Amino acid sequence: MCLMPHTPGTPGSGHRSPTRRGRPKRPLPAAQVVAMLVLAPTIGLFFGGALFVLLCTAAATVAAVRVRPDGLWWVLPAVPLAIWTVSVGRRLLLDAPDGGAKQAVAVAHGMIDAFPAMVLALAAAALVAVVRRSAARGRSVRA
């Protein structure tokens, strides 16, 4: 019995779909990366403290890993900006909605709360960027 795909009575076409084992995951679109960078600190604000810093750092690391190599130039500055915006925005909306001197105090408190998360998240994203650049440079030297 002939098992060619064009012969009648064959059990299947003999074609198998390619697997994704050896290939890296596709890069995330920019909108998803920005949404993740804003959503992580927003969720972290509900828990506060170390979990806020951990969520921000994890989001920055995932964003730096999953973005295209030429997109790292905008992920690195977007990480602290997103954390700062969410933290200071929350303080302004909840602590000083009426304005005045309370707004300045609210901005200062928001910046103080956001600073550790901004530093650690930026350091993690920069470390991923350095590792990716050195890995890419190592591949081009070997090739």
Side-chain angles (χ1 to χ4, degrees), residues 5-140:
H6 62 275
T7 58
T10 60
S13 67
H15 180 268
R16 290 180 29 185
S17 63
T19 60
R20 293 186 55 102
R21 283 184 213 160
R23 292 186 283 167
K25 293 182 180 180
R26 290 180 26 191
L28 288 176
Q32 287 181 354
V33 171
V34 170
M36 179 176 51
L37 289 176
V38 171
L39 191 63
T42 304
I43 293 171
L45 285 176
F46 291 110
F47 299 107
L51 196 56
F52 173 70
V53 175
L54 183 66
L55 283 173
C56 293
T57 305
T61 304
V62 169
V65 167
R66 294 290 308 273
V67 76
R68 292 181 190 266
D70 57 345
L72 283 172
W73 69 270
W74 65 267
V75 168
L76 292 178
V79 167
L81 183 63
I83 296 168
W84 182 86
T85 302
V86 169
S87 182
V88 171
R90 176 200 171 268
R91 286 288 185 159
L92 283 174
L93 289 176
L94 296 181
D95 296 345
D98 56 350
K102 288 184 177 182
Q103 280 187 334
V105 173
V107 169
H109 282 283
M111 289 171 37
I112 291 168
D113 292 344
F115 186 73
M118 287 170 34
V119 169
L120 288 176
L122 183 60
L127 180 66
V128 169
V130 167
V131 168
R132 285 184 69 180
R133 295 289 269 190
S134 65
R137 201 170 282 143
R139 278 195 303 260
S140 66

